[in-house]
Amino acid sequence: VYRDPFACVVRRDHPTVGSRLGLDRFASLPHVELALFGTDDDVLDRALARHGKSREVVYSLPHFSTIPLAVMESDAVATLGRRVAMAFAERYPLRVLTPPVKLAPMSIRQVWHRRAETDPSVAFLRKVVIEVARDGRRQ
């Protein structure tokens, strides 16, 4: 559907993070991790390890909606897709920053059962989802 670069969010009044997030500061902060389906993603850990760094995950949360609350009430940082990070920052007192490590953009994809491949209703829905998602990217 689209590719989304990563971004970091911290609370707007974070006491130790300025307008940029350096590698040492980033690694030293407590981290909030999205753990969909009960599993952590190690993409960020591998990127930090390439620089000889590691991080401490203090919150491993199963739902996107809980991430801004954990970040707002702590000195933690969360790394997520830029579109989600920007949406959170529009609604909550959060700042969006560029991660200090190189991360490949996330691929946001549609999946469906092969039995639905030729179903006109499912094909229509897939098309609408793609159009809406791509329009959102231009905002």
Side-chain angles (χ1 to χ4, degrees):
V1 178
Y2 65 92
R3 294 178 58 79
D4 196 17
F6 281 93
C8 297
V9 292
V10 296
R11 71 180 209 227
R12 192 172 294 149
D13 63 346
H14 198 288
T16 63
V17 175
S19 61
R20 291 190 59 229
L21 190 54
L23 180 60
D24 289 335
R25 171 68 57 210
F26 180 68
S28 71
L29 291 172
H31 285 253
V32 175
E33 175 87 0
L34 177 65
L36 287 176
F37 313 112
T39 59
D40 294 335
D41 185 0
D42 67 347
V43 169
L44 187 52
D45 295 305
R46 286 185 277 128
L48 285 169
R50 286 192 292 273
H51 296 278
K53 304 288 182 189
S54 63
R55 67 184 177 138
E56 179 185 6
V57 176
V58 294
Y59 300 109
S60 185
L61 305 172
H63 303 287
F64 277 100
S65 62
T66 56
I67 292 174
L69 303 175
V71 171
M72 287 182 333
E73 296 181 8
S74 70
D75 289 337
V77 59
T79 304
L80 17 123
R82 185 161 188 78
R83 285 176 77 168
V84 171
M86 295 301 287
F88 285 161
E90 289 175 8
R91 292 166 181 79
Y92 300 104
L94 300 172
R95 284 189 292 142
V96 178
L97 302 162
T98 302
V101 291
K102 185 172 175 78
L103 300 167
M106 292 187 294
S107 291
I108 307 303
R109 302 170 189 223
Q110 289 184 352
V111 295
W112 57 89
H113 195 281
R114 67 178 160 231
R115 286 190 305 238
E117 184 69 34
T118 59
D119 183 317
S121 299
V122 175
F124 170 79
L125 181 60
R126 289 193 313 260
K127 181 180 175 196
V128 169
V129 167
I130 288 173
E131 288 171 1
V132 169
R134 289 186 179 159
D135 282 347
R137 186 173 50 182
R138 286 187 283 252
Q139 293 180 352

